[in-house]
Amino acid sequence: MAQLNLDDHSHRRRNPLTGEWIQVSPHRAKRPWQGQTEETAGEEKPEYDPTCYLCPGNERAGGAAVNPNYEKTFAFVNDFSALKLDAPAEEYNVDDLLTARGEPGICKVICFSPRHDLTLPQMDAPAIRTVVDLWVDEFRELGAKEEINYVQIFENKGEIMGCSNPHPHGQIWAQHTVPDEPAKESREQKAWLDKRGTDLLADYLAIELREKTRVILENDSWVWLTPFWATWPFETMLLPRERRETLLDLTDKEKDDLADILKRSTSKYDNLFKTSFPYSAGFHQAPTDGEEHPEWRLHFHFYPPLLRSATVKKFMVGYEMLANPQRDITPEKAAAALRELPTERYR
Ligand code: H2U
Ligand code: ZN
């Protein structure tokens, strides 16, 4: 039997943050990298759109409110919030088979810029820094609430991801329960700390900085890489060099550096298929449950759906739905493709 070659043989990789596995089939992607770069129809947007419910001074959907004439960023409670603070945190149980619980929470919408026509890579670093500051402020305020034990900050970008409005914006859902994805990461990081006495992502980062095959970009405070266990073709993760449990622990320099690496990473993404690159992305951070979390290291995940071009998307169906997520192009190949691209956006 030949020795296992991760560039060649079909294999499974374990995600140490969740304990879940991914099927990798590198032989199916043996053909050399053929990044098709058909430019998508020039999506020319106006700086201000009088029909946009997020532009400054405009009325929101259904006349819920009128936006102020904001000049940098703007946050408001989602007019169609999925989570509400008035839900009683009570149990419902029928014979231990039908179990439910009331879930109090708060949903917010956060506008990144008054400009309707920009996205993160098109904003300058000081403007992105104002978004970082908004994330910090919102996290502080929501996380401090008695009922709130977890704050999920995210951005859903692009029509292909079901995003309803091109105005640059993200969302925050803050709630009583730590939801499943961060709960898995809490469990695995805690188990690692208990067993090894170190933080899991510190040990992981050390390997990545040694091997360098999956690192794409670095600055003084952050490392951008394709995780060894990435599921989506161009999935990436942004890690702080120092252990920071939440955004509240970041220094001024780390916040500036975060703005810098967000600009350059999202520019590379746009350059990959010469399109405004769609994704779901966001932070995973320690719960805001009042407990100590020495096991936690905050990080940012990018989950982009595109596979081969601006229009060819990876479907998570069939085997993925019924058995296990699967990928062809290896995380190492994806990192190499992203590494080659300029950090300056194509236009
Ligand atoms: P997307 O980024 O997924 O398109 O979501 C935009 C959010 O904005 C969505 O959750 C909210 C929707 O409920 N929204 C308002 O709160 N007010 C509005 O006037 C329209 C949209
Ligand atoms: Zn707008």
Side-chain angles (χ1 to χ4, degrees):
M1 274 275 270
Q3 219 191 347
L4 176 64
N5 178 351
L6 299 187
D7 290 330
D8 191 20
H9 298 121
S10 105
H11 62 276
R12 281 156 63 84
R13 296 189 185 192
R14 182 173 177 274
N15 180 341
L17 273 175
T18 62
E20 291 165 355
W21 293 77
I22 155 118
Q23 168 65 39
V24 187
S25 318
H27 53 287
R28 294 179 70 191
K30 264 251 176 105
R31 49 196 147 76
W33 167 246
Q34 297 176 314
Q36 272 162 304
T37 49
E38 339 132 18
E39 229 165 290
T40 38
E43 338 102 359
E44 282 311 316
K45 280 176 276 167
E47 284 185 24
Y48 166 76
D49 176 351
T51 68
C52 167
Y53 53 70
L54 298 179
C55 274
N58 286 4
E59 189 171 283
R60 294 218 292 276
V66 174
N67 297 325
N69 280 309
Y70 64 97
E71 288 172 358
K72 287 176 174 151
T73 59
F74 171 51
F76 61 93
V77 174
N78 195 313
D79 300 311
F80 310 94
S81 294
L83 293 155
K84 303 265 209 172
L85 263 189
D86 63 3
E90 274 171 24
E91 309 272 343
Y92 170 94
N93 188 319
V94 180
D95 208 14
D96 283 346
L97 285 172
L98 313 186
T99 48
R101 243 193 85 113
E103 183 68 9
I106 305 170
C107 294
K108 297 191 82 168
V109 179
I110 49 176
C111 300
F112 296 163
S113 162
R115 286 271 302 267
H116 184 80
D117 59 332
L118 299 183
T119 57
L120 280 181
Q122 292 162 303
M123 289 164 63
D124 58 24
I128 300 175
R129 172 62 203 263
T130 68
V131 177
V132 173
D133 290 336
L134 181 70
W135 286 333
V136 173
D137 292 344
E138 289 295 323
F139 183 87
R140 181 182 296 113
E141 193 185 314
L142 293 164
K145 291 188 193 295
E146 180 61 34
E147 309 86 333
I148 301 301
N149 294 319
Y150 189 77
V151 179
Q152 183 59 57
I153 298 174
F154 64 97
E155 180 188 3
N156 209 21
K157 178 170 172 251
E159 262 168 74
I160 204 170
M161 295 306 285
C163 177
S164 58
N165 187 323
H167 194 108
H169 70 283
Q171 294 192 46
I172 304 176
W173 292 28
Q175 65 187 96
H176 188 71
T177 309
V178 182
D180 284 356
E181 292 304 315
K184 288 178 217 163
E185 296 192 349
S186 257
R187 184 192 65 214
E188 296 300 321
Q189 290 179 100
K190 176 92 178 35
W192 187 269
L193 184 67
D194 289 348
K195 196 169 84 185
R196 307 281 288 254
T198 50
D199 88 276
L200 187 156
L201 286 174
D203 292 351
Y204 173 62
L205 191 56
I207 299 173
E208 291 297 10
L209 290 173
R210 195 170 69 225
E211 295 201 350
K212 292 274 183 170
T213 49
R214 285 168 297 269
V215 172
I216 309 164
L217 263 183
E218 300 178 54
N219 65 19
D220 289 345
S221 317
W222 300 87
V223 178
W224 190 45
L225 51 79
T226 56
F228 179 74
W229 54 85
T231 298
W232 293 90
F234 292 96
E235 175 178 334
T236 60
M237 201 161 112
L238 197 49
L239 283 164
R241 287 189 195 270
E242 300 296 326
R243 192 178 71 84
R244 303 286 180 242
E245 289 174 23
T246 73
L247 287 169
L248 303 185
D249 303 333
L250 296 182
T251 64
D252 246 20
K253 158 91 169 134
E254 287 169 330
K255 292 178 202 172
D256 281 340
D257 287 350
L258 177 56
D260 162 73
I261 205 153
L262 281 172
K263 178 169 175 63
R264 294 190 296 134
S265 53
T266 53
S267 294
K268 271 183 178 280
Y269 264 157
D270 281 4
N271 289 337
L272 184 63
F273 298 130
K274 295 260 189 339
T275 192
S276 183
F277 201 71
Y279 55 72
S280 278
F283 291 97
H284 278 151
Q285 309 184 62
T288 56
D289 53 3
E291 307 284 318
E292 301 278 313
H293 288 287
E295 74 279 16
W296 257 95
R297 179 178 293 237
L298 77 79
H299 52 273
F300 191 89
H301 292 284
F302 280 105
Y303 298 131
L306 295 183
L307 174 63
R308 242 192 326 266
S309 73
T311 49
V312 179
K313 157 179 193 285
K314 156 86 182 165
F315 286 99
M316 288 288 181
V317 298
Y319 181 82
E320 278 98 348
M321 269 192 154
L322 287 152
N324 226 161
Q326 183 272 344
R327 63 180 296 142
D328 294 348
I329 175 182
T330 61
E332 296 74 33
K333 285 232 166 64
L338 286 166
R339 213 180 292 126
E340 273 175 22
L341 296 164
T343 54
E344 196 81 13
R345 194 180 184 270
Y346 64 98
R347 74 170 134 88

